[in-house]
Amino acid sequence: MGMLCAVSFNRYGRLYYLDPGALTPQVGDKVLVPTDDGPEVAECVWAAQWVSEDTDGFPKLVGLAGEEDLRRDEALRRRKAEAKVAAKRLIRAHGLPMKVVAVDHVLGSGEGGERSTVYFTAPHRVDFRSLVRDLGATLHCRVELRQLSARDSARVQGGIGSCGRDLCCATFLTDFEPVTIRMAKDQDLPLNPLRISGACGRLMCCLKYEHPLYQRFQESAPAVGSRVTTPEGDGRVVGHSVPRDSVTVRLDAGGSRCSCSRASVCAPRQAHDQHYNP
């Protein structure tokens, strides 16, 4: 058991959880977060509080940001904006099919000196050697270009999903797990790309969240078209409702439909009831 707080480097960006140590940051406080390139300024969006999980593996806050740290952070953001504008302008000048997604900049004081990393998307591999030279001459620092996949691009940019909430990949997802069209079929979703695709244009990651529930349901529920005995009489299964854990049955008597729980029509449950409740 220990204490954790959550910080974000950008407004509505990904949350990072850290051990506050002896500090007690409040919401809105600027704090210093350890990174590979040294401490960086972030905003506390979740005040430090006790949690039941073990916090030994979480990084610790370096401290609260001072005036010098805030000035350095402002200069860093300004350099990022300048690099992004320059990259877009030079990409147009070179006529390259590239789209700038984000820019990361490291101020020159540590090992390797000042450098900018430009993240971009493109429909195919791009020869950007001349672009790197021109960017380096314009920004007066070392420049790296890194191509992102569609999913990574959505993670970096963020956005709002069809559910009305922030994208999962931009908030809490750490790894992209395989998502297949079979998952959409198993959940009886319309195979319309506009309905089952996320902001990245790929299948929505949330298709995987409920898929195990549908698999367990299909293992024990009677298939559509099979005959079953319900508390209201015999009939034939015409539909499933996995969220309600029920099946829809068309009764032989009168052709009316009724909704029954999966347990009341599955063979193992009926055999159990007949054995123990004759």
Side-chain angles (χ1 to χ4, degrees), residues 115-133:
R115 68 179 185 276
S116 283
T117 303
V118 179
Y119 299 93
F120 70 94
T121 58
H124 48 74
R125 293 181 63 87
V126 180
D127 183 3
F128 49 71
R129 287 173 292 183
S130 59
L131 174 64
V132 171
R133 288 194 298 268

Side-chain angles (χ1 to χ4, degrees), residues 10 76-92 98-105 116-121 131 135 138-139 141 143-145 153 156-158:
N10 300 295
L76 183 63
R77 293 179 183 276
R78 187 165 52 251
R79 286 289 286 165
K80 286 181 181 180
E82 293 172 354
K84 191 171 187 178
V85 171
K88 289 182 177 181
R89 177 174 55 81
L90 289 174
I91 285 174
R92 288 195 299 268
M98 300 166 58
K99 178 182 177 182
V100 177
V101 175
V103 175
D104 192 16
H105 190 81
S116 283
T117 303
V118 179
Y119 299 93
F120 70 94
T121 58
L131 174 64
L135 268 176
T138 302
L139 301 176
C141 66
V143 176
E144 298 178 6
L145 268 71
S153 174
V156 171
Q157 295 182 91

Side-chain angles (χ1 to χ4, degrees), residues 177-226:
E177 298 184 9
V179 182
T180 64
I181 196 68
R182 168 57 60 184
M183 296 179 182
K185 292 181 179 180
D186 290 344
Q187 298 176 47
D188 294 328
L189 295 174
L191 301 183
N192 182 346
L194 298 178
R195 297 285 299 276
I196 60 176
S197 298
C200 59
R202 304 294 190 269
L203 291 174
M204 292 188 294
C205 294
C206 56
L207 290 176
K208 192 173 182 66
Y209 298 165
E210 296 181 359
H211 188 243
L213 176 65
Y214 281 79
Q215 288 180 310
R216 290 194 297 269
F217 182 92
Q218 293 171 358
E219 289 173 358
S220 59
V224 174
S226 60

Side-chain angles (χ1 to χ4, degrees), residues 10-14 101 151-172 198-200:
N10 300 295
R11 183 64 61 88
Y12 308 120
R14 177 186 291 270
V101 175
R151 291 190 184 274
D152 287 326
S153 174
R155 168 189 284 179
V156 171
Q157 295 182 91
I160 303 298
S162 57
C163 59
R165 304 187 64 176
D166 293 333
L167 297 180
C168 298
C169 59
T171 51
F172 64 88
C200 59

Side-chain angles (χ1 to χ4, degrees), residues 15-107:
L15 298 183
Y16 296 88
Y17 296 91
L18 297 98
D19 182 352
L23 302 174
T24 56
Q26 301 299 314
V27 175
D29 289 349
K30 299 294 185 179
V31 296
L32 294 176
V33 177
T35 68
D36 294 338
D37 298 310
E40 290 192 16
V41 177
E43 182 179 353
C44 179
V45 296
W46 180 37
Q49 57 183 271
W50 291 100
V51 295
S52 58
E53 292 82 5
D54 184 11
T55 60
D56 290 341
F58 288 86
K60 289 189 176 182
L61 289 180
V62 176
L64 296 176
E67 291 297 329
E68 182 62 29
D69 298 315
L70 295 178
R71 284 194 294 269
R72 183 176 182 276
D73 182 62
E74 182 61 29
L76 183 63
R77 293 179 183 276
R78 187 165 52 251
R79 286 289 286 165
K80 286 181 181 180
E82 293 172 354
K84 191 171 187 178
V85 171
K88 289 182 177 181
R89 177 174 55 81
L90 289 174
I91 285 174
R92 288 195 299 268
H94 285 264
L96 297 174
M98 300 166 58
K99 178 182 177 182
V100 177
V101 175
V103 175
D104 192 16
H105 190 81
V106 177
L107 296 177

Side-chain angles (χ1 to χ4, degrees), residues 212-264:
L213 176 65
Y214 281 79
Q215 288 180 310
R216 290 194 297 269
F217 182 92
Q218 293 171 358
E219 289 173 358
S220 59
V224 174
S226 60
R227 295 193 59 80
V228 295
T229 299
T230 73
E232 299 183 28
D234 295 340
R236 190 178 300 276
V237 177
V238 294
H240 292 155
S241 178
V242 179
R244 294 188 177 91
D245 196 28
S246 65
V247 296
T248 302
V249 179
R250 184 173 63 242
L251 300 175
D252 294 338
S256 61
R257 298 191 178 193
C258 68
S259 180
C260 307
S261 66
R262 174 173 54 93
S264 66

